[in-house]
C-alpha cells in the first residue's frame, strides 16, 4: 500500500516543522490496533462472523475519541487513516481528546434491528476493557446513530457500572446532548458562510451541490437552505437529483422519509454521481464516504469552493489538482469538526451530570468553530499555504508539544 491520504497531508505539514524522522513516525503510527471477531446469531438462527475494529491513534491530548462505522468497505487501513484524522481534528479544535475510529465490516442494510443490537453488543463486549469515558469514547459515524450509541452505553455499563460518558451522540432523552445530531451539518453551514465572507460573498443565491443525504448531508442542506443558499443538486447511494432553480429541502426531507431516497423527487432531473460532482456550482460539498476526488473527478469539478463535510474525500492527487486550479478547499478536520465538538460538550455534560440548553450548546459551538476557523485562515495567510496544510500544522504542533512534555 502507498502512503494513505492522511499520512501524506501530515507529511506536508511536518516538512515545515523541524523534527526527527522517528518522532514524525510516532505521530503517524497508531497507538493501538484492535481487531476482533464478532460472532452472533441472525434472526433465522444462523451463526455469522464479522470483523470489528477499533484503531486508537493517539492520546497525547486526552482520551481517544471518534466514530464507529458499519459498512462493507470497512478495513484496517482506512480506519487507521480516519483515526489519525480524528487526532488532528480534536487537536485543531482545542478539545481535550486524542483520536480513534472503529468499524464493523458488514452491510447493515441487510440486518434487522435486533441483529444490529446483537452485533453492536457483542462487539462492545469484546473491546470493553479498552474503551471508557477516560480511555476511548465512541460516537456515531457512517450507518450508526443514537440507537447504536444507546446499545453501546447499555452493554458497557453492564459490567463497568453506569457510564453514559463512554459514548456521545446518544438520544437526547438518554444522556445525549441537545444539538448533537444536527451539529455536523450546522457546523458545515457555519464555516461555508465564513469562507464565502472572506471573499465578500454571501450565501444568498449561492449555488450548492451536496454529495450524500445521510445525517451530515441532510442537515447541511437544511442549514444552508435556511441561510438562503440554493441547493441545486444532491445525491445518495441510489442516485442524484438536479433542480436548476434550487431544491425545496424541507419537501425533499419529507420525500426521503417516505421513500427512503432522494431519487424521483418532484420534477427534478435524475443525474449520476459523476454528473453531480461535475455540476457547475459555487460550492461543492462531499458529505458521503471518502476517496471521492481522484485525478479524474478533481479535474471535472466545476466549482470555486469545496467544503469537506465527509472524512477523507480528497486523495493526494486530487488535492494537488485543486491547488493548481485555484479551487479553495476547506479540509475535513475543520469543515466537519462541529460533530466532535458537540460530542465533547455531551461528554462534559455527562461528567458534570448537568444538562445544557440548546442555546448554550450553539453559543459554545460558535466560539470553538470561530476560533479554529480564524486560526486556520491566519496561519494559511502567514505561511502562504493551503487551508489543509495550515490545519495540519496547527494540530500537529499541539500534539507534538504535549507529547514532548509528557515524555511519550
Ligand atoms: N464521526 C464523527 C467524526 O468523524 C464524530 C466523532 C465524534 O463525535 O467523536 O468526526
Amino acid at each position: 500500500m502507498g502512503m494513505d491520504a492522511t499520512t501524506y497531508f501530515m507529511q506536508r505539514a511536518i516538512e515545515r516543522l523541524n523534527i526527527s524522522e522517528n518522532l514524525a513516525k510516532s505521530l503517524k503510527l497508531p497507538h493501538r490496533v484492535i481487531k476482533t471477531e464478532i460472532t452472533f446469531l441472525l434472526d433465522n438462527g444462523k451463526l455469522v462472523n464479522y470483523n470489528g475494529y477499533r484503531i486508537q491513534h493517539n492520546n497525547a491530548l486526552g482520551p481517544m475519541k471518534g466514530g464507529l462505522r458499519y459498512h462493507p468497505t470497512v478495513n484496517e487501513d482506512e480506519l487507521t487513516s480516519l483515526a489519525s484524522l480524528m487526532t488532528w481534528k480534536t487537536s485543531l479544535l482545542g478539545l481535550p481528546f486524542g483520536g480513534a475510529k472503529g468499524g464493523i465490516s458488514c452491510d447493515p442494510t441487510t440486518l434487522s434491528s435486533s441483529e444490529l443490537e446483537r452485533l453492536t453488543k457483542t462487539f462492545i463486549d469484546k473491546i470493553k476493557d479498552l474503551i471508557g469515558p477516560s480511555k476511548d469514547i465512541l460516537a456515531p459515524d457512517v450507518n450508526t446513530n443514537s440507537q447504536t450509541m444507546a446499545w453501546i452505553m447499555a452493554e458497557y455499563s453492564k459490567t463497568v457500572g453506569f457510564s453514559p460518558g463512554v459514548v456521545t451522540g446518544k438520544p437526547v432523552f438518554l444522556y445525549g446532548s441537545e444539538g448533537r445530531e444536527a451539529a455536523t451539518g450546522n457546523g458545515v453551514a457555519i464555516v461555508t458562510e465564513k469562507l464565502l465572507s472572506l471573499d465578500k460573498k454571501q450565501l444568498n443565491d449561492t449555488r450548492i451541490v451536496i454529495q450524500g443525504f445521510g445525517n451530515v448531508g441532510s442537515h447541511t442542506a437544511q442549514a444552508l437552505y435556511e441561510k438562503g443558499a440554493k441547493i441545486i443538486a444532491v445525491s445518495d447511494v441510489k442516485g442524484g437529483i438536479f433542480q436548476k432553480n434550487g431544491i425545496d429541502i424541507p419537501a425533499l426531507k419529507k420525500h426521503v422519509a417516505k421513500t427512503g431516497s432522494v431519487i424521483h423527487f418532484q420534477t427534478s432531473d435524475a443525474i449520476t454521481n459523476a454528473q453531480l460532482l461535475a455540476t457547475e456550482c459555487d460550492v461543492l460539498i462531499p458529505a458521503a464516504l471518502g476517496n471521492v476526488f481522484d485525478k479524474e473527478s478533481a479535474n471535472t469539478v466545476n466549482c470555486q469552493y469545496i467544503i469537506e463535510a465527509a472524512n477523507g474525500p480528497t486523495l493526494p492527487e486530487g488535492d494537488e489538482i485543486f491547488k493548481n486550479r485555484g479551487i479553495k478547499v476547506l479540509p475535513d478536520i475543520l469543515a466537519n469538526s462541529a460533530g466532535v465538538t458537540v460530542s465533547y460538550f455531551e461528554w462534559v455534560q455527562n461528567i458534570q451530570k448537568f444538562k445544557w440548553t440548546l442555546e448554550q450548546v450553539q453559543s459554545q459551538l460558535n466560539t470553538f468553530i470561530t476560533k479554529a476557523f480564524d486560526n486556520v485562515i491566519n496561519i494559511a495567510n502567514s505561511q502562504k499555504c493551503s487551508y489543509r496544510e495550515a490545519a495540519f500544522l496547527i494540530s500537529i504542533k499541539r500534539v507534538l508539544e504535549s507529547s514532548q512534555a509528557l515524555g511519550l
Side-chain angles (χ1 to χ4, degrees), residues 54 64-69 82 85-86 89-90 97 100-101 137-142 144 168-169 180 184 216 309-311 332 336-344:
R54 185 70 181 169
M64 294 183 252
K65 183 85 192 83
L68 174 69
R69 58 171 62 184
L82 292 166
L85 214 50
M86 286 309 302
K89 194 186 299 184
T90 51
F97 290 135
K101 198 76 152 200
I137 303 125
L138 291 76
D141 200 89
V142 177
T144 56
T168 56
R180 174 61 186 88
T184 311
V216 178
N311 284 315
D332 43 15
N336 70 33
S337 61
V340 72
T341 302
V342 178
S343 274
Y344 164 54

Side-chain angles (χ1 to χ4, degrees), residues 54 56 63-65 97 124 127-138 152 156 160 163-167 347:
R54 185 70 181 169
Q56 298 176 327
M64 294 183 252
K65 183 85 192 83
F97 290 135
I124 295 305
I127 67 167
K128 61 178 184 287
D129 294 337
L130 301 169
I131 60 173
S134 56
K135 285 186 192 167
D136 180 3
I137 303 125
L138 291 76
I152 296 176
Y156 182 79
V160 181
S163 318
V166 67
V167 274
W347 180 78

Side-chain angles (χ1 to χ4, degrees), residues 70-296:
Y70 293 174
H71 198 272
T73 64
V74 156
N75 65 70
E76 187 183 319
D77 287 343
E78 191 180 28
L79 290 177
T80 302
S81 188
L82 292 166
S84 174
L85 214 50
M86 286 309 302
T87 297
W88 314 120
K89 194 186 299 184
T90 51
S91 170
L92 178 65
L93 268 287
L95 309 179
F97 290 135
K101 198 76 152 200
I104 299 177
S105 161
C106 68
D107 181 359
T109 61
T110 66
L111 299 172
S112 71
S113 174
S114 61
E115 287 168 342
L116 284 170
E117 178 177 345
R118 286 196 293 283
L119 171 75
T120 304
K121 290 186 172 175
T122 308
F123 176 60
I124 295 305
D125 179 53
K126 293 274 175 88
I127 67 167
K128 61 178 184 287
D129 294 337
L130 301 169
I131 60 173
S134 56
K135 285 186 192 167
D136 180 3
I137 303 125
L138 291 76
D141 200 89
V142 177
N143 292 329
T144 56
N145 55 29
S146 60
Q147 175 61 76
T148 325
M149 300 305 115
W151 289 328
I152 296 176
M153 171 183 158
E155 182 63 26
Y156 182 79
S157 296
K158 212 164 79 185
T159 40
V160 181
F162 178 71
S163 318
V166 67
V167 274
T168 56
K170 298 178 290 294
V172 177
F173 61 82
L174 191 74
Y175 301 90
S177 177
E178 294 290 346
R180 174 61 186 88
E181 196 169 287
T184 311
N186 286 339
V188 172
I190 294 172
V191 293
T192 304
E193 191 169 31
K194 283 184 189 294
L195 186 64
L196 289 173
S197 77
L198 293 179
D199 291 336
K200 310 254 178 306
K201 289 181 184 167
Q202 286 177 352
L203 273 174
N204 231 338
D205 277 331
T206 296
R207 293 162 310 160
I208 295 184
V209 169
I210 304 175
Q211 183 200 39
F213 209 73
N215 177 274
V216 178
S218 64
H219 283 112
T220 297
Q222 177 70 32
L224 288 169
Y225 176 85
E226 283 171 13
K227 286 174 183 281
K230 221 186 324 179
I231 322 294
I232 58 169
V234 301
S235 68
D236 61 26
V237 283
K238 294 195 178 142
I241 58 168
F242 173 81
Q243 240 172 14
K244 191 168 170 274
N245 295 323
I247 298 166
D248 178 344
I249 298 297
L252 176 63
K253 280 166 65 183
K254 282 190 196 136
H255 172 83
V256 172
K258 213 158 65 189
T259 67
S261 171
V262 299
I263 58 172
H264 308 310
F265 175 64
Q266 292 179 352
T267 56
S268 62
D269 300 322
I271 53 171
T272 64
N273 182 51
Q275 285 171 322
L276 177 114
L277 295 177
T279 301
E280 187 195 341
C281 62
D282 303 297
V283 182
L284 175 58
I285 306 183
L289 292 173
N291 306 334
V292 175
F293 299 122
D294 54 16
K295 195 169 158 211
E296 199 182 315

